[in-house]
Amino acid sequence: EVQLVESGGGLVQPGGSLGLSCAASGFTFSSYAMSWVRQAPGKGLEWVSSITGSGAITYYADSVKGRFTSSRDNSKNRLYLQMNSLRAEDTAVYYCARFPTSIHTFDIWGQGTMVTVSS
Amino acid sequence: EIVLTQSPGTLSLSPGERATLSCRASQSVSSSYLAWYQQKPGQAPRLVIYGASTRATGIPDRFSGSGSGSGTDFTLTINRLEPEDFAVYYCQQCGSSPWTFGQGTKVEIK
């Protein structure tokens, strides 16, 4: 079964850091680009970041550029999002999603992990 | 940035009726890069349509997608609404960075 499972969410103070992880299973992880998408409470979806299958190239939304870093370990089938200088507006559920470049869309999503930035 | 505007915001319909959801792009989007997702409360989004008109795996044929030749108007149609279809639907484009989502259309039971 193809599955993505996020972890690492929690409560962090403004200006703090947090690292998220996404464990992939059921497919050849290194063959797929991966992305992070977030959803603030009661709001819509916002693309955050993407990374190529090799991990060589990353892309970021302007709202997180310079503060967030995506990476991956293909030997462990894991995707990561390091979040620094967190702000209240970063509060959201963070989803990892698989992005097959053949169909240019997010076809598999994890269940999400909640990040709350508050003092 | 390509802005996707969905209408209506809320659609109140009865089971068995047809739902027609609109997604308008501020700039032309290749149909290859337009998708629709379904999200139910407390759940992750689920891919419904990709490439503007191709149903994702496991999606019933009462769901269909289309796009205009202009590349700015896209439609998701749900025929014969079933109870499990009531949810929020988002359109999304990845033809131009940053990839963007519409604000969503809620399909609710009338």
Side-chain angles (χ1 to χ4, degrees):
Chain A
E1 179 193 4
V2 175
Q3 194 172 13
L4 298 171
V5 179
E6 302 93 336
S7 60
L11 174 64
V12 60
Q13 292 189 337
S17 298
L18 199 63
L20 306 182
S21 179
C22 171
S25 59
F27 64 99
T28 303
F29 183 64
S30 61
S31 295
Y32 291 86
M34 298 293 295
S35 296
W36 291 96
V37 176
R38 68 184 180 184
Q39 185 170 37
K43 303 297 184 182
L45 300 166
E46 179 189 16
W47 168 73
V48 172
S49 177
S50 294
I51 185 168
T52 57
S54 67
I57 303 174
T58 52
Y59 306 88
Y60 300 95
D62 285 347
S63 57
V64 306
K65 199 173 293 182
R67 299 187 300 123
F68 290 12
T69 302
S70 286
S71 62
R72 62 193 296 163
D73 186 335
N74 288 341
S75 68
K76 295 182 178 178
N77 290 346
R78 281 191 176 265
L79 173 71
Y80 303 99
L81 184 67
Q82 178 63 37
M83 304 183 293
N84 299 328
S85 302
L86 282 161
R87 307 165 180 167
E89 54 265 35
D90 296 318
T91 294
V93 174
Y94 284 74
Y95 297 101
C96 67
R98 191 175 78 169
F99 186 83
T101 52
S102 59
I103 61 172
H104 309 289
T105 192
F106 307 113
D107 70 336
I108 303 294
W109 297 64
Q111 86 290 348
T113 187
M114 183 70 202
V115 173
T116 303
V117 184
S118 174
S119 55
Chain B
E1 173 176 325
I2 295 179
V3 176
L4 299 177
T5 302
Q6 293 185 240
S7 61
T10 301
L11 205 47
S12 298
L13 295 167
S14 300
E17 292 191 298
R18 173 186 295 173
T20 303
L21 287 66
S22 174
C23 175
R24 176 161 289 179
S26 60
Q27 305 171 42
S28 180
V29 175
S30 168
S31 60
S32 298
Y33 302 126
L34 194 286
W36 292 90
Y37 301 87
Q38 175 194 73
Q39 188 177 35
K40 298 178 181 179
Q43 296 186 18
R46 175 191 183 193
L47 177 63
V48 176
I49 296 284
Y50 64 92
S53 61
T54 303
R55 282 187 301 277
T57 302
I59 300 300
D61 61 7
R62 62 179 181 273
F63 288 83
S64 64
S66 63
S68 70
S70 65
T72 58
D73 291 294
F74 299 90
T75 301
L76 174 68
T77 302
I78 313 170
N79 290 310
R80 305 178 306 278
L81 279 164
E82 296 283 344
E84 61 267 28
D85 300 335
F86 291 91
V88 178
Y89 292 83
Y90 295 94
C91 59
Q92 180 257 331
Q93 69 82 24
C94 60
S96 174
S97 183
W99 300 343
T100 51
F101 291 85
Q103 83 280 14
T105 289
K106 182 179 183 180
V107 180
E108 65 175 22
I109 299 177
K110 186 175 181 179

